[in-house]
Amino acid sequence: MDGAEERTVLKSKLRFRFAKRGDLRLVSHHDLMRCLERILRRAGLPVAHSQGFNPRPKATFALAMALGIEGRREVLDLELTETIDPEDVLRRLSAEAPPGLDFLEVEAIPLTGRAARVAAARYHLPIPEEHRDAARAAVADLLTRASWPYTRHRQDRTIELDLRPFVLDAFVSDDGALSFRLKVASDGSARPEEIIDALGLSWLTSQGAVLVRDDVELSPVGG
């Protein structure tokens, strides 16, 4: 390359809500991105690409998802080099998506707008009936605490953090699901599996219960 590469001219930017369900919850974030790239090629969309030796589609997931978690209303931003009816793009993506990846809705967003910034995420986990009273007691204990120290273990070190400031709300619903909402800060957040562990419920996911992210809440424009 001689450095005279032409810059990509953006014509539109779209924000999608999508779901990742079923067996696709076992797909890593990296593999999900590769899957999206194949969908974009098959759909024949004029996707903008990054510059450099390894151009990649300008597609951004607002919040990565850990392996094994289902997502019901995830956020994807996509930049295009042509102006196309958003609903047409939605239909074309849906036609090429594999089972379990559902594109739900789309909106056009300003080209000059900043990337989606996540404010919070909401999760739920089903709890067997015989364990719901204990779960309610554990949630009540968590919510009354001013702090909840937790040790995050990594391969090369441990990190001490306080989970409590990240928990915006938590309860066990009448139908027996643990529901909680986590704050997402610019420097990170508590992980949903850490909240489940702190409540003494990590055995549920070990035995096959599926953790679901119900919603990804975005900060308002200018917020």
Side-chain angles (χ1 to χ4, degrees):
M1 297 175 64
D2 60 6
E5 185 175 14
E6 182 180 354
R7 293 182 61 85
T8 299
V9 178
L10 301 182
K11 292 295 185 180
S12 64
K13 190 173 182 179
L14 304 178
R15 178 164 295 162
F16 298 86
R17 288 286 183 163
F18 71 95
K20 188 181 81 164
R21 317 171 194 264
D23 289 343
L24 274 188
R25 69 185 176 86
L26 302 174
V27 171
S28 69
H29 182 74
H30 176 72
D31 287 340
L32 179 63
M33 187 64 199
R34 292 177 61 187
C35 176
L36 176 63
E37 290 178 8
R38 289 194 295 270
I39 293 170
L40 294 173
R41 286 196 300 268
R42 292 170 180 169
L45 294 171
V47 180
H49 283 71
S50 62
Q51 304 297 314
F53 290 100
N54 186 28
R56 305 302 296 270
K58 288 191 174 183
T60 306
F61 295 103
L63 190 61
M65 187 185 304
L67 201 67
I69 301 178
E70 283 194 359
R72 299 290 173 83
R73 281 183 55 79
E74 300 299 300
V75 178
L76 168 69
D77 284 359
L78 181 64
E79 299 181 16
L80 303 177
T81 59
E82 297 178 16
T83 301
I84 302 178
D85 176 35
E87 293 298 329
D88 182 41
V89 177
L90 183 68
R91 286 190 294 270
R92 289 163 70 172
L93 290 179
S94 297
E96 300 298 338
L101 185 59
D102 303 316
F103 290 91
L104 306 173
E105 56 192 68
V106 62
E107 63 173 329
I109 58 177
L111 286 174
T112 56
R114 59 173 168 78
R117 188 163 66 189
V118 180
R122 184 161 47 87
Y123 299 84
H124 84 259
L125 179 72
I127 300 176
E129 185 172 2
E130 63 272 21
H131 296 284
R132 291 172 189 170
D133 287 343
R136 288 189 177 97
V139 168
D141 184 27
L142 171 63
L143 294 179
T144 58
R145 301 282 190 97
S147 65
W148 193 289
Y150 186 86
T151 302
R152 177 180 292 170
H153 295 279
R154 292 186 172 176
Q155 286 186 341
D156 56 344
R157 67 188 190 278
T158 59
I159 300 173
E160 303 298 327
L161 68 155
D162 183 4
L163 296 181
R164 185 60 187 89
F166 295 105
V167 182
L168 301 175
D169 189 21
F171 59 92
V172 177
S173 63
D174 292 340
D175 61 357
L178 167 67
S179 179
F180 57 98
R181 184 167 164 259
L182 295 183
K183 176 183 176 181
V184 178
S186 59
D187 56 350
S189 177
R191 299 168 180 168
E193 57 268 29
E194 293 171 340
I195 304 302
I196 293 169
D197 185 34
L199 294 172
L201 297 171
S202 57
W203 60 272
L204 284 170
T205 52
S206 298
Q207 293 185 3
V210 176
L211 177 63
V212 175
R213 186 155 73 195
D214 295 295
D215 197 12
V216 172
E217 302 174 20
L218 301 181
S219 298
V221 176

